[in-house]
Amino acid sequence: MASKNGRMSHTEVLPLLEPQAAVPCCPPLNERPMSAGEAEIAAKMFKALGDPVRLRLFSAVASHEGGEACVCDISDVGVSQPTVSHHLKKLKDAGLLSSERRGTWVYYRVEPAVLAAMGALLAGTEKAT
Amino acid sequence: MASKNGRMSHTEVLPLLEPQAAVPCCPPLNERPMSAGEAEIAAKMFKALGDPVRLRLFSAVASHEGGEACVCDISDVGVSQPTVSHHLKKLKDAGLLSSERRGTWVYYRVEPAVLAAMGALLAGTEKAT
DNA sequence: AGGCTGTTTCGACATCTGTCGATGCGTGTG
DNA sequence: CACACGCATCGACAGATGTCGAAACAGCCT
């Protein structure tokens, strides 16, 4: 392995280009090859959305009015209720959702910062055309 | 399940809002709850990027000059060569990369359309704040 | 208190996934 | 032509993952 090329560096990863704060995680995918550590972090977020059921649950929460929804409102995704809970937990562990109990119901809401970070990861890639 | 809410519809999913063609797949995540079919498709793309090694490989290709790279240029990711090949195949199957043999080497390049589609999926979510 | 409903946790299990070494295929080179 | 090199495929295997039913936990309500 490793052969036939011989340049790199440039785009030194300036610490602050835009005012995008909040979970910066990593530079755009096409900025420079991702390090192992960065990839580990970013892959967690992508993996969380890499399941159809989780994606539907996430979309259901994100599209719900107020940006939040209780479990009872979004558990019509074709799997058992424990499975729904399991997936919500995964989304929460990945940092994509946060939960809060209010009386009988538990409400989930999207974590906007992480979403922005993922968007930024992909957004930069458009220049690579 | 299913209780306690009672509205939906609005945002009828106009067939063409912006000139964004190419692999539209699905509306932004917060537009409306994703259907099972849409989720199936979109989850494939996210899952493809949901592995650290694949993410590094993808980033390596995306950041390489010319937007393409031969396998030999990007196979320093800490796994064996067959594993690299396996992951590249997965990225290709997911539609994120395309490959082309030129003489001895095989070159991979990013598929910009799909990238744009994923970006659009996440981009809309910013309004959900 | 007792029961009811909403949600999470617990085991269990089949399947999928990432990884490797060995092997095969395609292409230049001696 | 024989060999070396780049890359893909094959078979195997340990570990992760999605799913379920049963049970536990947490608030309401009568």
Side-chain angles (χ1 to χ4, degrees):
Chain A
M1 334 160 170
S3 59
K4 175 174 161 301
N5 80 344
R7 15 157 155 43
M8 58 169 67
S9 75
H10 69 74
T11 56
E12 272 300 321
V13 187
L14 315 189
L16 35 99
L17 288 173
E18 295 130 328
Q20 51 76 253
V23 197
C25 164
C26 326
L29 288 173
N30 64 339
E31 191 106 334
R32 57 167 169 75
M34 233 172 177
S35 77
E38 291 169 336
E40 203 80 38
I41 297 173
K44 272 201 183 75
M45 307 191 297
F46 284 113
K47 180 184 286 187
L49 294 181
D51 178 89
V53 174
R54 277 199 295 273
L55 201 47
R56 290 186 71 189
L57 288 172
F58 184 85
S59 171
V61 172
S63 64
H64 207 265
E65 90 264 49
E68 68 176 15
C70 93
V71 180
C72 62
D73 282 329
I74 59 176
S75 37
D76 279 338
V77 285
V79 295
S80 73
Q81 196 277 327
T83 301
V84 168
S85 192
H86 173 239
H87 283 307
L88 286 173
K89 178 176 170 51
K90 283 223 160 183
L91 286 167
K92 192 178 167 185
D93 288 347
L96 295 173
L97 293 180
S98 58
S99 69
E100 177 195 359
R101 173 163 221 126
R102 283 209 289 276
T104 302
W105 297 285
V106 176
Y107 289 82
Y108 282 82
R109 59 167 45 249
V110 297
E111 208 60 50
V114 186
L115 255 287
M118 291 185 68
L121 265 180
L122 298 172
T125 46
E126 291 168 13
K127 87 152 211 270
T129 332
Chain B
M1 333 160 174
S3 57
K4 176 171 162 301
N5 78 342
R7 24 175 144 31
M8 57 169 69
S9 77
H10 69 74
T11 56
E12 270 303 318
V13 188
L14 316 189
L16 37 96
L17 287 172
E18 295 130 326
Q20 51 75 248
V23 196
C25 166
C26 326
L29 287 174
N30 65 338
E31 191 107 332
R32 57 168 171 75
M34 233 171 176
S35 77
E38 290 169 338
E40 202 81 37
I41 296 172
K44 271 201 185 75
M45 307 190 299
F46 283 113
K47 180 185 284 188
L49 294 181
D51 178 271
V53 174
R54 277 199 294 273
L55 201 48
R56 290 186 72 188
L57 288 172
F58 184 85
S59 171
V61 173
S63 65
H64 208 263
E65 91 264 47
E68 68 176 16
C70 92
V71 180
C72 62
D73 283 328
I74 59 175
S75 40
D76 279 338
V77 285
V79 294
S80 72
Q81 186 273 322
T83 301
V84 168
S85 194
H86 173 239
H87 282 307
L88 287 173
K89 178 176 172 50
K90 284 224 160 184
L91 286 168
K92 192 177 166 185
D93 288 346
L96 294 173
L97 293 179
S98 59
S99 68
E100 176 195 1
R101 174 165 218 125
R102 284 210 291 274
T104 302
W105 297 285
V106 176
Y107 290 82
Y108 281 82
R109 60 168 45 248
V110 297
E111 208 61 49
V114 186
L115 255 287
M118 291 185 67
L121 264 181
L122 298 172
T125 45
E126 290 167 13
K127 88 152 212 269
T129 332

